[in-house]
């Protein structure tokens, strides 16, 4: 019986994956709480913040880092009256995020085709996107710290229409590391 188990184990393809624990920054709503974040990285006092949380990730880096910025997030609480189920602004506002490495760098898209800011989230679409830009940059800065090569980042706002076309001016390109 043991010999059969060994033969079966040898016949199965070996799947090796690396799981890394990394910090991922997320744009978070603080709706349902009694505090504002003070002056944020966007230069405004908002009921929102950009914060990191450790995540165990596998896949192509840095793409998987960027896509992980849009994952469900519920604040842990000890207060039975706090009933907010989701605080990640990309999920709350239906903003998609994609990342792809090309010859000229990392291309990130924030898709606003289904953008809606829900009632109770006291932010504009522009403020939400600015918070997302901060989260992306901070996530990539952490990733880039041990890297020896510079990382060129090209970020665009996609899925715009007549009502959201002005958000395209938030697109930006920059280089991290390698100085």
């Amino acid at each position: 019986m043991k010999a059969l188990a060994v033969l079966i184990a040898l016949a199965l393809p070996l799947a090796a994956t690396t799981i890394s624990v990394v910090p991922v920054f997320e744009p978070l709503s603080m709706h349902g709480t009694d505090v504002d974040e003070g002056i944020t990285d966007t230069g405004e006092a908002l009921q929102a913040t950009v914060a990191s949380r450790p995540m165990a990730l596998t896949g192509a880096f840095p793409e998987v880092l960027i896509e992980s910025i849009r994952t469900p997030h519920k604040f842990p609480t000890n207060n039975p009256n706090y009933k907010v189920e989701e605080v990640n602004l990309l999920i709350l506002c239906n903003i998609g995020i994609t990342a792809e490495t090309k010859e000229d760098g990392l291309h990130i898209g924030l898709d606003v085709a289904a953008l809606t800011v829900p009632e109770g989230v006291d932010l504009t679409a522009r403020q939400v996107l600015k918070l997302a830009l901060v989260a992306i940059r901070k996530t990539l800065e952490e990733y880039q710290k041990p890297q020896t090569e510079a990382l060129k980042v090209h970020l665009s706002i996609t899925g715009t229409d007549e009502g959201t076309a002005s958000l395209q001016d938030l697109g930006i390109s920059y280089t991290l590391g390698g100085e």
Side-chain angles (χ1 to χ4, degrees):
M1 190 66 148
K2 286 184 182 180
L4 179 60
V6 169
L7 284 174
I8 290 173
L10 291 174
L12 294 174
L14 295 176
T17 58
T18 301
I19 300 172
S20 299
V21 176
V22 294
V24 174
F25 287 80
E26 299 173 330
L28 303 173
S29 170
M30 295 168 59
H31 71 283
T33 70
D34 298 320
V35 295
D36 287 341
E37 177 56 22
I39 304 300
T40 66
D41 291 322
T42 65
E44 303 171 82
L46 305 174
Q47 196 171 21
T49 192
V50 173
S52 73
R53 69 173 168 164
M55 296 182 79
L57 299 176
T58 189
F61 282 78
E63 296 91 333
V64 73
L65 284 171
I66 297 305
E67 292 165 355
S68 295
I69 292 170
R70 189 188 191 280
T71 54
H73 193 138
K74 179 180 179 179
F75 284 140
T77 184
N78 66 352
N79 187 323
N81 295 323
Y82 181 75
K83 307 240 186 252
V84 176
E85 293 294 319
E86 182 60 58
V87 295
N88 188 315
L89 285 164
L90 294 180
I91 292 174
L92 287 171
C93 298
N94 297 314
I95 298 171
I97 190 167
T98 58
E100 181 182 3
T101 299
K102 297 181 180 180
E103 282 186 30
D104 64 338
L106 179 64
H107 289 255
I108 301 169
L110 288 172
D111 184 356
V112 298
L115 172 70
T116 57
V117 179
E119 197 173 311
V121 174
D122 189 20
L123 299 167
T124 66
R126 182 169 289 276
Q127 289 170 323
V128 170
L129 288 170
K130 283 183 176 182
L131 288 163
L133 295 175
V134 170
I136 289 166
R137 187 172 191 116
K138 285 185 168 201
T139 298
L140 289 174
E141 285 173 346
E142 282 298 314
Y143 164 76
Q144 197 60 25
K145 281 181 182 177
Q147 308 300 322
T148 57
E149 299 278 325
L151 176 65
K152 292 183 180 179
V153 179
H154 308 281
L155 193 140
S156 61
I157 309 301
T158 65
T160 59
D161 59 23
E162 278 184 31
T164 57
S166 66
L167 297 174
Q168 289 178 338
D169 71 350
L170 293 172
I172 188 170
S173 292
Y174 51 87
T175 301
L176 295 173
E179 287 105 30

